[in-house]
Amino acid sequence: MNLLRIFKHLLTPDWLARRAFPAAALKRIEAVIGQSEAAHRGEIRFALEGALPLLPLMKGATARTRAVQVFSDLRVWDTEENTGVLLYLQLIDRDFEILADRGINARVRPSEWEAICQRMEVAFREGHFEDGVVAGLSEITALLTQHFPARAQNPDELPDTPVLL
């Protein structure tokens, strides 16, 4: 149990953690997700979390374990072709994860997701949060367009709106 991490999460107000993503940035990300999904059959969700809840903190939850929980809670797995993708950003720990459903993981190597994460994290370290997410979405769009191009019937199965946890 990392007491410093726990205190950091408990004492940092969410508004302070989320200041990197004002309402205009979230609207832009929502628009980019909508445009992206018009080009492929994937479904993208972006989740942003400031402080973690106390119980996961006490259990030593990582961004990865929290992202798996959020993937389930947001039902990203609930698409016809199993083509959901979650972009999860944990702001206090400054950690980022991309999780994809099994339909996508059958075609996209984990190293490709990791490379996208690393490039986004470079942008985040430079303070370019919105641009980092948009650039990552562009790369994800290219992957999904390659492996799951849009069809005539291309339903929007999940909301495009970013989720603030």
Side-chain angles (χ1 to χ4, degrees):
M1 181 172 7
N2 183 335
L3 291 177
L4 181 60
R5 179 177 182 236
I6 291 170
F7 284 125
K8 190 175 181 182
H9 279 263
L10 293 177
L11 298 176
T12 304
D14 278 345
W15 66 265
L16 184 61
R18 292 181 180 154
R19 72 178 184 256
F21 288 93
L26 295 174
K27 280 292 191 195
R28 178 177 177 213
I29 290 167
E30 180 178 357
V32 170
I33 290 171
Q35 293 166 357
S36 170
E37 290 179 355
H40 55 74
R41 298 187 318 273
E43 291 293 325
I44 300 171
R45 296 298 318 258
F46 175 64
L48 184 63
E49 187 161 39
L52 291 175
L54 183 59
L55 187 57
L57 277 172
M58 299 296 288
K59 291 181 178 181
T62 63
R64 182 73 176 181
T65 58
R66 185 69 177 143
V68 168
Q69 179 65 48
V70 171
F71 188 92
S72 176
D73 291 347
L74 296 178
R75 300 176 60 98
V76 178
W77 50 266
D78 194 16
T79 63
E80 184 177 337
E81 293 185 72
N82 299 309
T83 55
V85 177
L86 173 69
L87 286 78
Y88 171 81
L89 177 55
Q90 204 296 304
L91 291 163
I92 302 286
D93 292 334
R94 296 178 181 233
D95 207 348
F96 186 77
E97 293 288 335
I98 298 175
L99 295 181
D101 205 350
R102 64 184 177 268
I104 294 172
N105 282 336
R107 298 182 187 183
V108 178
R109 294 182 315 272
S111 61
E112 293 179 272
W113 296 124
E114 185 58 34
I116 294 170
C117 279
Q118 288 173 357
R119 286 187 288 276
M120 290 175 73
E121 288 169 353
V122 167
F124 295 163
R125 279 193 296 275
E126 295 172 355
H128 305 294
F129 296 99
E130 178 183 349
D131 291 338
V133 171
V134 169
L137 285 168
S138 175
E139 291 186 57
I140 291 167
T141 300
L143 281 175
L144 294 177
T145 302
Q146 175 186 350
H147 296 289
F148 298 93
R151 294 183 182 150
Q153 295 294 324
N154 193 24
D156 191 8
E157 299 176 82
L158 300 173
D160 300 339
T161 307
V163 177
L164 302 176
L165 303 169

